[in-house]
Amino acid sequence: MWIGGQWMDSETGETITVINPANGELVGSVPKGGRTETEQAVRAAEQAFPVWSGLTAADRGSYLKKWAEEIRREREPLARLLTFEQGKPLSEALEEVDAAADFSEWYGEEAKRVTGEILAGSKPKQRILVIRQPVGVAALITPWNYPATMVTRKMAAALAAGCTVVLKPASQTPLTAVFLMQLLEKTGLPPGVANLVTGAASEIGRALMENRSVRKISFTGSTEVGKQLIQSSAGQVKRLSLELGGNAPLIVFSDAEVDRAVKAAVGNKFENCGQMCNGINVIYVHERLVEEFLQQLTERVRSLRVGFGWEPGTQIGPVIDEAGREKVAELVRDAVMRGARVLTGGRLLTDGQLANGTFYAPTVLSDVTYDMRVTQEEIFGPVAPVVSFSDEEEILKRVNDTPYGLAAYFFTRDIQKAFMAAERLEFGMVAVNGTSLSVPQAPFGGIKESGQGREGGHYGMEEFLNIKYISMNL
Ligand code: NAP
């Protein structure tokens, strides 16, 4: 753990082990911190706050730009570590590390662009000033699926805004966070500005929630834990931003280009072995195109190379753990029991060198209907269920009928339909004729039970700033 500029073990000496999901081998271990270490980290962040928030925005930004440089310099080892603890193919890990650096660089530049306003007074001698100030100590809680970008996307925005932070990464993938903090240390960041606590989630979470000095919680993870955090933050009315689960539809309208839609569907659906919050959950294809779509999709999915992420050519790694894989298998079993057809995959991969990992075969399901759990729940695995539809009005209603609202995708060549559907879809993000969404300058985030608040762009910095209104009477 990194607290107040010092690297330390937990008070009890206990550790948590990090296992490679591809082969079950030990990757390393981190301290199992709890309440004591969390309180220490919050104190360190509190002490560092006046110094850090008192720097010029340009100075704060320069640390972030240096962090981006350090991340790029260590691109390869960082990506390899990420692959070992998380399982994704090295090519994807490299992309993630690049994106992590991009977030830090972008916020390094954006730090300078925090502005205020002067409004007309209500009396001749009144002036109204609106200024923005950092919220204070921010706690950042990150998930295992993107262990590098989730850290920098939050932390760079918080630091740029002038906040000091305590980071709690996911226990399955804490080593990437440790490496990132070592790189941040190299920038000469003043002690206590950024702190890292690893360990028992519920204990650390409680200590953060009960500490009055923590003014903001930024969480990415499951909707279930997000809801708990809403409840536990109520006592002190802490500011919260929540990036939670999703159930993203991909709609292929009758006038879509099938090749393009299939290529994009495979790229998005099978990225990170399907473990992406904004990943396509279910594919809805117009009945006129469904046969051709399924044929092309199945062909492509069948040719995906499953294996160890560090081996060249691997396209699909393991599911993060046995519980994750079992959930995927259970959803497929439920779909098959209710009449879905497995066009490829639909089974655990346990042969040969995959035996000790948590691999699941890339899967395509056809004849999928709305009573199947795959259409209602976040699959978080390499399974593409395909639903055929005929009525475009009805399909928009159907896909909106979910408690989630993170991302939606559709393909059409009709400009009228593109605007109509983009506006009617009840999701925080919509991509038309493509699937790319997470970029530093854009507001990433969801509505409904997919969360609140945004990450990325100036929107992401607003989450770490308070607005103050000053009435100045001359
Ligand atoms: P998770 O179980 O909710 O865990 C996320 C983080 O919260 C981990 O660091 C975890 O620590 C911590 N945590 C767990 N219980 C906590 C508690 N009571 N108090 C405080 N912290 C607690 O989620 P996950 O399974 O790692 O991540 C997958 C989920 O994240 C999916 O639903 C996915 O859609 C969502 N996600 C959303 C976005 C987005 O931008 N909307 C991005 C990525 C992922 P431990 O690991 O120590 O338990």
Side-chain angles (χ1 to χ4, degrees):
M1 291 181 288
W2 193 40
I3 299 176
Q6 303 291 321
W7 289 96
M8 55 176 76
D9 290 329
S10 65
E11 194 191 28
T12 60
E14 282 181 89
T15 56
I16 41 178
T17 51
V18 180
I19 303 295
N20 184 334
N23 57 15
E25 286 177 11
L26 182 73
V27 185
S29 65
V30 290
K32 187 175 179 190
R35 176 173 289 275
T36 310
E37 294 83 354
T38 307
E39 285 172 356
Q40 266 178 293
V42 174
R43 255 195 316 278
E46 202 183 357
Q47 279 163 9
F49 180 70
V51 175
W52 182 248
S53 57
L55 292 183
T56 64
D59 282 347
R60 284 199 301 271
S62 70
Y63 286 102
L64 294 171
K65 285 186 250 176
K66 277 188 222 149
W67 195 22
E69 278 170 30
E70 294 292 343
I71 294 171
R72 288 183 184 127
R73 189 168 304 132
E74 296 293 332
R75 178 175 188 264
E76 293 271 343
L78 188 50
R80 285 186 76 77
L81 179 63
L82 203 165
T83 289
F84 278 112
E85 69 173 352
Q86 202 274 345
K88 67 180 64 178
L90 188 59
S91 55
E92 285 186 23
L94 285 164
E95 279 174 26
E96 183 179 342
V97 168
D98 292 343
D102 290 347
F103 277 111
S104 189
E105 181 183 69
W106 198 88
Y107 277 112
E109 291 159 352
E110 189 65 8
K112 287 185 264 184
R113 285 186 271 276
V114 174
T115 59
E117 266 182 301
I118 299 176
L119 309 178
S122 287
K123 295 183 201 132
K125 293 200 167 179
Q126 187 194 26
R127 304 288 181 273
I128 295 175
L129 280 67
V130 181
I131 63 167
R132 285 184 169 80
Q133 294 180 305
V135 295
V137 175
L140 317 175
I141 304 174
T142 54
W144 49 262
N145 60 347
Y146 287 84
T149 46
M150 293 302 101
V151 169
T152 63
R153 192 163 85 176
K154 287 185 193 306
M155 196 180 286
L159 296 180
C163 293
T164 51
V165 301
V166 175
L167 168 68
K168 148 74 184 91
S171 295
Q172 277 129 323
T173 57
L175 297 172
T176 302
V178 172
F179 201 154
L180 284 169
M181 292 302 100
Q182 288 169 343
L183 298 176
L184 188 54
E185 185 184 24
K186 282 191 175 177
T187 67
L189 194 79
V193 171
N195 303 275
L196 168 73
V197 179
T198 51
S202 54
E203 207 180 315
I204 294 171
R206 246 195 322 275
L208 290 170
M209 285 303 180
E210 288 169 9
N211 197 316
R212 292 206 170 267
S213 302
V214 177
R215 295 310 318 153
K216 162 86 193 183
I217 307 276
S218 174
F219 169 81
T220 298
S222 60
T223 297
E224 191 192 340
V225 174
K227 287 179 183 176
Q228 288 170 20
L229 296 180
I230 292 174
Q231 281 175 344
S232 55
S233 66
Q236 295 174 8
V237 196
K238 289 189 196 296
R239 281 187 67 177
L240 271 187
S241 26
L242 302 169
E243 300 279 353
L244 309 176
N247 178 359
L250 163 65
I251 306 172
V252 182
F253 286 113
S254 55
D255 58 303
E257 287 175 65
V258 174
D259 308 13
R260 202 168 151 193
V262 170
K263 200 163 162 233
V266 175
N268 172 297
K269 175 81 237 186
F270 294 91
E271 177 177 333
N272 198 13
C273 191
Q275 304 167 109
M276 181 161 78
C277 56
N278 59 309
I280 296 162
N281 206 49
V282 179
I283 305 173
Y284 302 87
V285 187
H286 192 272
E287 61 184 5
R288 263 215 318 263
L289 306 178
V290 75
E291 215 168 292
E292 188 188 349
F293 186 93
L294 278 170
Q295 193 227 322
Q296 284 195 33
L297 180 70
T298 309
E299 218 167 277
R300 275 182 183 267
V301 173
R302 216 176 258 143
S303 70
L304 290 172
R305 255 177 77 181
V306 181
F308 295 156
W310 56 92
E311 285 180 354
T314 296
Q315 292 167 295
I316 305 274
V319 178
I320 189 72
D321 57 21
E322 196 49 62
R325 177 165 75 163
E326 182 42 38
K327 183 181 176 205
V328 174
E330 197 185 307
L331 291 180
V332 171
R333 278 197 298 271
D334 170 81
V336 171
M337 196 186 73
R338 292 171 199 270
R341 275 194 309 139
V342 177
L343 300 188
T344 183
R347 62 195 170 88
L348 312 187
L349 294 176
T350 52
D351 292 342
Q353 64 166 14
L354 305 187
N356 296 324
T358 42
F359 292 91
Y360 194 86
T363 299
V364 176
L365 299 176
S366 73
D367 301 359
V368 171
T369 48
Y370 298 108
D371 58 332
M372 297 174 187
R373 284 176 58 194
V374 278
T375 63
Q376 312 297 329
E377 296 175 34
E378 190 180 36
I379 304 169
F380 241 50
V383 177
V386 177
V387 173
S388 168
F389 72 90
S390 54
D391 185 332
E392 296 189 342
E393 267 299 308
E394 197 212 322
I395 202 63
L396 288 173
K397 283 198 195 117
R398 279 276 186 191
V399 300
N400 282 338
D401 184 19
T402 162
Y404 296 107
L406 187 58
Y409 308 90
F410 65 85
F411 281 75
T412 180
R413 278 183 280 200
D414 178 338
I415 189 77
Q416 302 255 29
K417 205 182 290 177
F419 273 97
M420 181 274 295
E423 287 168 13
R424 289 222 356 230
L425 285 163
E426 294 167 8
F427 294 81
M429 301 176 285
V430 177
V432 185
N433 293 331
T435 56
S436 155
L437 284 172
S438 180
V439 290
Q441 67 274 28
F444 193 98
I447 60 172
K448 301 201 266 183
E449 292 185 25
S450 288
Q452 58 193 40
R454 292 292 180 268
E455 287 184 357
H458 63 85
Y459 310 91
M461 256 172 88
E462 291 290 337
E463 303 288 335
F464 295 98
L465 292 165
N466 285 330
I467 286 179
K468 184 183 279 176
Y469 149 40
I470 303 171
S471 172
M472 185 72 73
N473 295 286
L474 304 176

